[in-house]
Amino acid sequence: MQEFVNRLWYPKGFLDSQSKGLFLLLKLLQLLLWPLSLLFAVVTALRRRLFKIGIKKQSTLPVPVIVVGNITVGGSGKTPTVIYLVELLRQHGYKPGVISRGYGVNFEGVKSVLPSMAARDVGDEPAMIVGRTGVPMVIGRNRIAAGEHLLTHFNVDVIISDDGLQHYALGRDIELLVLDGERRFGNGALLPAGPLREGLWRVKQVDAVVVNGGDSIEGEHPMSLVQSALKPVADSNEQAPALSDAMVAIAGIGNPSRFFNSLTDAGFNLNRVKAFDDHQAYCEDELMELSGGLPIIMTEKDAVKCRGFAKQNWWYLPVDAKLSSNFDRLILDKLKR
């Protein structure tokens, strides 16, 4: 399903090698969905208006809030950006905490995320963020309640909201929009005909646009993801496979092809690849059959969901966000003000 939606929303790259018939089919489907996109635009505009005139209330927290979000559906690089901000703020004496929705997890109220917690209990991205940084983190549908819980139970002086650019009930001091530099805004249409949660006008309102890979334009902040050495998904002393060894690659993220292409560019010998839906819950038997005994290589986000049943020859590839000193200064200067 995700692959088909990507063909509709991000036709560039898919249609280069496809027939004219497929192109016309996608255009027709987009046209049929246009009335629903128009309805979506009206409903979301009304909601924003209610906040603007004060009928819907926005609440502010007593510490600065940095929102890391996007206006497109799916992965764009928000999690690496959040991790980068946590480390940047710590380097400059701040005590950051993180709040998030906790995608795919059903629970009432709010919940603190601890390093010992499984991804199925808190969500894959929160598990990854806390596993990597140990940052205080609270998840919950109500971001304000999550922020208040974070401030009550942890020593925090800056809050980073992972996602939530459209969660207008939460006041914010800095807005960061993270954009997939390869796919950018896709076909430029609002949901469901396209991937946009809000119109392109929203880009001009944020404090900074972070572009993950691809090409950035003037005024945007390019971000690259730097690969580290392979790490075992399970506790293992086994030596990591060589680049020349045949491997199977899997990815359950918003843009799996980005991960597969990065492996190929790095020289990995991929016997086959398998893209799963974003936030995929993995099955041990399915991955065992898929691997055929070969080593599996996956993203760090996938690894946090496989640790309970991972085999000795399963590996993940950590990546670290890299941004410019100009971006760092922008964030730190705004926090000081």
Side-chain angles (χ1 to χ4, degrees), residues 65-118:
V65 173
I66 304 173
V67 172
V68 179
N70 56 15
I71 62 169
T72 56
V73 173
S76 57
K78 294 188 298 295
T79 302
T81 306
V82 168
I83 293 173
Y84 181 91
L85 287 171
V86 168
E87 295 172 346
L88 172 69
L89 294 175
R90 283 174 168 171
Q91 289 169 7
H92 289 83
Y94 291 97
K95 297 183 286 293
V98 180
I99 58 175
S100 179
R101 166 68 181 86
Y103 183 88
V105 183
N106 293 318
F107 63 95
E108 295 296 327
V110 298
K111 179 190 291 188
S112 297
V113 182
L114 304 177
S116 59
M117 290 181 170

Side-chain angles (χ1 to χ4, degrees), residues 254-275:
N255 186 4
S257 62
R258 173 194 289 276
F259 177 63
F260 300 144
N261 291 337
S262 72
L263 295 177
T264 302
D265 293 342
F268 285 92
N269 178 17
L270 302 183
N271 180 273
R272 56 186 174 276
V273 302
K274 173 67 175 177

